[in-house]
Amino acid sequence: VNMDGTCLYQAVAVVFLAQLHMIDLTLGQQLTIVLTATLASIGSAAVPSAGLVMLIIVLESVGLNPAWIGIIFPVDRILDMCRTVVNVTGDATVSSVIAKGEGLFNYNPNKAPDETFDIE
């Protein structure tokens, strides 16, 4: 569920495309972009360029032309790598916080897992 990079990418890409075509977005449209990008990023699969396909949904939610993704398509591979870095960093951070809270942060490979983690 933690697809932060995809969510940020979709919101920024839609605002960029609107500005590129000199379209002023209302506050309602901007809030729709945030909501739709969040829901689309939750529902998108963790496969390369899935965010680009979900961008069509976000564009159509505010009445923009979905064919405009052709402008972003040539550089999407580079943007996809940046999205992946943000997604993986967020996942690693959450995993570290949970492991710290559960007392599983310091793994000792010389001990049996039952002794290291107090598994009962």
Side-chain angles (χ1 to χ4, degrees):
V1 175
N2 194 16
M3 302 284 280
D4 304 331
T6 304
C7 182
L8 290 169
Y9 160 75
Q10 290 175 354
V12 169
V14 171
V15 171
F16 166 74
L17 289 170
Q19 288 180 346
L20 185 69
H21 291 90
M22 296 182 198
I23 295 175
D24 292 329
L25 297 171
T26 65
L27 182 61
Q29 286 176 313
Q30 291 174 20
L31 292 174
T32 302
I33 290 170
V34 170
L35 179 67
T36 311
T38 303
L39 294 175
S41 69
I42 290 171
S44 67
V47 296
S49 298
L52 187 64
V53 175
M54 296 305 243
L55 187 59
I56 295 171
I57 297 169
V58 181
L59 283 167
E60 287 183 343
S61 71
V62 289
L64 299 178
N65 188 353
W68 291 350
I69 63 171
I71 296 168
I72 295 178
F73 187 71
V75 294
D76 183 62
R77 187 65 190 146
I78 297 165
L79 296 175
D80 187 37
M81 289 185 242
C82 295
R83 286 193 307 263
T84 302
V85 168
V86 174
N87 290 339
V88 170
T89 303
D91 291 343
T93 302
V94 170
S95 297
S96 297
V97 168
I98 290 173
K100 180 77 170 174
E102 293 293 321
L104 304 174
F105 199 65
N106 296 320
Y107 175 70
N108 186 352
N110 298 326
K111 289 185 175 179
D114 321 358
E115 298 170 8
T116 303
F117 298 130
D118 296 329
I119 298 173
E120 296 178 19

